[in-house]
Amino acid sequence: MPETLLDAAKSVRENAHAPYSNFKVGAALITSSGRVFVGCNVENVAYPEGTCAEAGAIAAMCAAGERVITEITVIADSPTPVPPCGGCRQKISEFAAHDVPVTLATMSGKIETTTVATLLPGAFDSSHMEI
Ligand code: THU
């Protein structure tokens, strides 16, 4: 059975480096070519230098030469599903169409699915820079 995005996100979450928040997050995305990329949060003693799980998955995708996200899943051990932070919403929006599903999950099995447009209404995009 192929690994689901949720399985991939759950698995990479174990590798999170989160000694300061103790809040491990995993993200997995699939691209238009069908490849899966994963990321976890990587914190730093200089707190603002930490990076989110979503940013790690997006960086891995770009490093592999891919640019189009068709689905993304994020998981954390939280009471309710954790939505991406504001910065990550913008990062996801760079590579995902408005209707791309974003699944948010908890380790206890709660799952919600929303979309890029719902998470970031009125997103700034390249059309705003057309002259
Ligand atoms: N975090 C993520 O990795 N993704 C999110 O969507 C929310 C927050 C991380 C950042 C930080 O390492 C920890 O969770 C606590 O904010």
Side-chain angles (χ1 to χ4, degrees):
M1 193 166 94
E3 192 185 41
T4 65
L5 273 192
L6 185 58
D7 291 334
K10 195 182 280 189
S11 173
V12 72
R13 177 184 165 276
E14 296 302 324
N15 294 334
H17 176 69
Y20 307 106
S21 71
N22 286 315
F23 189 70
K24 293 183 167 193
V25 185
L29 60 83
I30 190 160
T31 65
S32 51
S33 74
R35 288 181 70 185
V36 171
F37 295 94
V38 297
C40 54
N41 52 332
V42 180
E43 297 182 350
N44 192 283
V45 64
Y47 294 175
E49 299 307 323
T51 50
C52 287
E54 297 90 325
I58 288 169
M61 173 190 76
C62 286
E66 302 244 7
R67 293 290 186 270
V68 181
I69 299 171
T70 56
E71 196 177 338
I72 182 165
T73 295
V74 183
I75 188 166
D77 190 14
S78 49
T80 56
V82 171
C85 75
C88 284
R89 293 176 195 213
Q90 185 70 36
K91 289 182 178 78
I92 293 166
S93 163
E94 178 77 11
F95 302 105
H98 291 177
D99 61 349
V100 161
V102 182
T103 296
L104 315 170
T106 69
M107 292 299 285
S108 65
K110 289 182 187 153
I111 295 179
E112 279 176 19
T113 298
T114 181
T115 65
V116 171
T118 303
L119 288 173
L120 193 62
F124 172 67
D125 63 31
S126 58
S127 71
H128 296 106
M129 299 202 301
E130 279 171 15
I131 49 170

